[in-house]
Amino acid sequence: MHTFEFIRPADSATAIAAAAQSKTAQQGADVRFMGGGTTLIDLMKLNVETPARVLDINRLPLDKIEDTPDHGLRIGATVRNSDLAYHPRVQRDYSVLSQAILQGASAQIRNMATVGGNLLQRTRCVYFRDTAMPCNKREPGTGCPAITGHNRTLAILGTSEHCIATNPSDMCIALAALEATVQIQGTKGARTIAFGDFHLLPGSTPHRETVLEPGDLITHITLPPPTTGSKHLYLKLRDRASYEFALASAAVVLTISNGKITRARIALGGVGTKPWRAPQAEAALTGKPANDANFRQAAEAALQGANPQSENRFKIELAKRCLTHALRTAAAS
Ligand SMILES: Cc1cc2nc3c(=O)[nH]c(=O)nc-3n(C[C@H](O)[C@H](O)[C@H](O)COP(=O)(O)OP(=O)(O)OC[C@H]3O[C@@H](n4cnc5c(N)ncnc54)[C@H](O)[C@@H]3O)c2cc1C
Ligand code: SF4
């Protein structure tokens, strides 16, 4: 692993980050914040991430989960994934989030991993993690060997000719369905971004994964007030039952009245280059009876436009069945 400077500031992380030279338009390769370190340190050991300075943000006062005045929830960026998953309000009012977190990684990793870090975890594409291989995301302009190579686990929605990497997060799929917002402290002040606008499609710039600019620090995630009587489900399909990333997953928040769906919020994981909200599926369900035929129709709508590669065509049907089953199970709960 290359040498780097480790800094533990009490309160001036953004100022230090802003002063550092940044190589990329995103967070900057020269200076990185560290939450739990479960992504960053891993990638530094592989020489994929090579920051000159690492700023430990764990002493910043961002470790609280608080009610908002409108009965939503404000979650600090250094809250651990396990603390969030087991928080009583999350389990009661936002259970899709709790379910999604608890199906990710392992208990030990969830104890370390932070909310901010989870939003910025990097793809598990094998070429990205191997510095002997070209990769547009790691080294812009070098090419994408995954398109003609091993792509079984990679994305079928939101891909481009420059990158087909899957966003690997489970937590983010639930946050997309819950319509969270992301609070950011930047060098020019604070701003709020709708969750759906936070991650970027790869397009011709796959190295830019989010709207973050150099020096930006995620401070909080805010959840809107819960929808009374909504039914929540996160279903994750993967090669083995634990400690594995999703091949396909679905986060579903449904409100049903007199057998009809009055509100649906749906996001898919394991298939998109970013956490994949499915507005076509939501529209296909709204006002319709909660039955299997309508659930399958919504799943067809969600996967319209899927663009499979040589090894991952199976994900289209897998994701449809995943969503159909998640909707059926949520409706029956
Ligand atoms: C073996 C293994 C299995 C895993 N399995 C799963 C899984 O099944 N599902 C899943 O969803 N995840 C899985 N993960 C990923 C895990 O959830 C992430 O590594 C974790 O959430 C990252 O959080 P962290 O706090 O450790 O991030 P860090 O490593 O500290 O940071 C990650 C990135 O975010 C930046 N960053 C951190 N905090 C902030 C902030 N507040 N503002 C701005 N930038 C910030 C860092 O600079 C870095 O670039 C797995 C990880 C491992 C190692
Ligand atoms: S899919 Fe993306 S991350 Fe994977 S090799 Fe291609 S450019 Fe790199």
Side-chain angles (χ1 to χ4, degrees):
M1 194 158 91
H2 79 292
T3 53
F4 64 95
E5 186 186 358
F6 187 71
I7 306 168
R8 208 168 233 181
D11 58 10
S12 60
T14 50
I16 296 169
Q21 291 293 312
S22 283
K23 273 197 232 162
T24 72
Q26 201 185 6
Q27 180 89 13
D30 291 343
V31 56
R32 304 301 290 240
F33 298 124
M34 191 189 79
T38 62
T39 285
L40 183 64
I41 303 299
D42 248 19
L43 292 175
M44 286 172 67
K45 288 180 189 163
L46 296 172
N47 281 324
V48 171
E49 298 268 20
T50 55
R53 294 203 255 176
V54 173
L55 286 123
D56 181 352
I57 59 171
N58 289 288
R59 290 189 189 176
L60 301 181
L62 300 173
D63 58 351
K64 303 275 185 308
I65 303 175
E66 298 159 312
D67 291 354
T68 61
D70 63 355
H71 306 297
L73 211 56
R74 187 168 182 257
I75 305 156
T78 61
V79 168
R80 305 289 147 179
N81 284 185
S82 2
D83 291 337
L84 184 58
Y86 292 117
H87 189 274
R89 273 215 64 204
V90 175
Q91 292 196 313
R92 190 190 68 198
D93 295 335
Y94 307 99
S95 96
V96 68
L97 178 57
S98 179
Q99 296 171 45
I101 293 171
L102 293 177
Q103 289 181 59
S106 64
Q108 290 87 345
I109 291 170
R110 295 192 296 267
N111 285 344
M112 284 301 293
T114 61
V115 168
N118 196 317
L119 255 63
L120 298 175
Q121 63 172 288
R122 313 295 305 272
T123 183
R124 310 306 286 198
C125 172
V126 291
Y127 303 103
F128 172 75
R129 297 171 69 87
D130 181 353
T131 53
M133 299 299 294
C135 167
N136 283 331
K137 189 183 275 300
R138 182 169 29 78
E139 286 182 60
T142 54
C144 175
I147 289 174
T148 51
H150 294 297
N151 50 46
R152 178 176 176 272
T153 59
L154 299 186
I156 54 173
L157 291 164
T159 57
S160 78
E161 59 182 310
H162 302 282
C163 182
I164 57 169
T166 320
N167 181 294
S169 175
D170 291 299
M171 188 186 85
C172 288
I173 310 308
L175 291 176
L178 289 169
E179 300 180 308
T181 52
V182 186
Q183 273 75 55
I184 298 164
Q185 179 68 47
T187 54
K188 296 179 198 138
R191 65 190 196 281
T192 298
I193 306 281
F195 197 80
D197 298 331
F198 180 77
H199 294 93
L200 300 174
L201 292 172
S204 59
T205 54
H207 57 289
R208 285 213 73 205
E209 296 177 346
T210 69
V211 296
L212 291 182
E213 298 291 341
D216 277 352
L217 175 76
I218 299 169
T219 59
H220 299 90
I221 301 291
T222 302
L223 301 179
T227 311
T228 312
S230 56
K231 297 163 181 279
H232 291 220
L233 196 93
Y234 185 73
L235 178 63
K236 178 175 178 180
L237 305 181
R238 45 190 156 166
D239 281 331
R240 57 183 180 198
S242 77
Y243 208 33
E244 185 56 280
F245 291 88
L247 287 169
S249 71
V252 165
V253 182
L254 283 184
T255 315
I256 300 176
S257 174
N258 298 323
K260 280 196 175 164
I261 297 161
T262 54
R263 184 178 183 274
R265 295 292 181 271
I266 294 168
L268 301 176
V271 288
T273 51
K274 60 183 265 185
W276 201 260
R277 179 89 180 264
Q280 307 88 338
E282 295 169 4
L285 286 174
T286 308
K288 301 272 178 55
N291 62 33
D292 264 13
N294 288 330
F295 298 152
R296 177 69 195 193
Q297 205 175 17
E300 296 285 346
L303 271 296
Q304 256 179 18
N307 182 24
Q309 307 297 327
S310 55
E311 296 179 346
N312 66 6
R313 179 170 291 278
F314 76 98
K315 279 194 175 191
I316 298 180
E317 184 58 25
L318 188 73
K320 286 179 186 173
R321 292 186 189 190
C322 180
L323 178 54
T324 306
H325 193 65
L327 290 165
R328 183 188 302 128
T329 312
S333 65

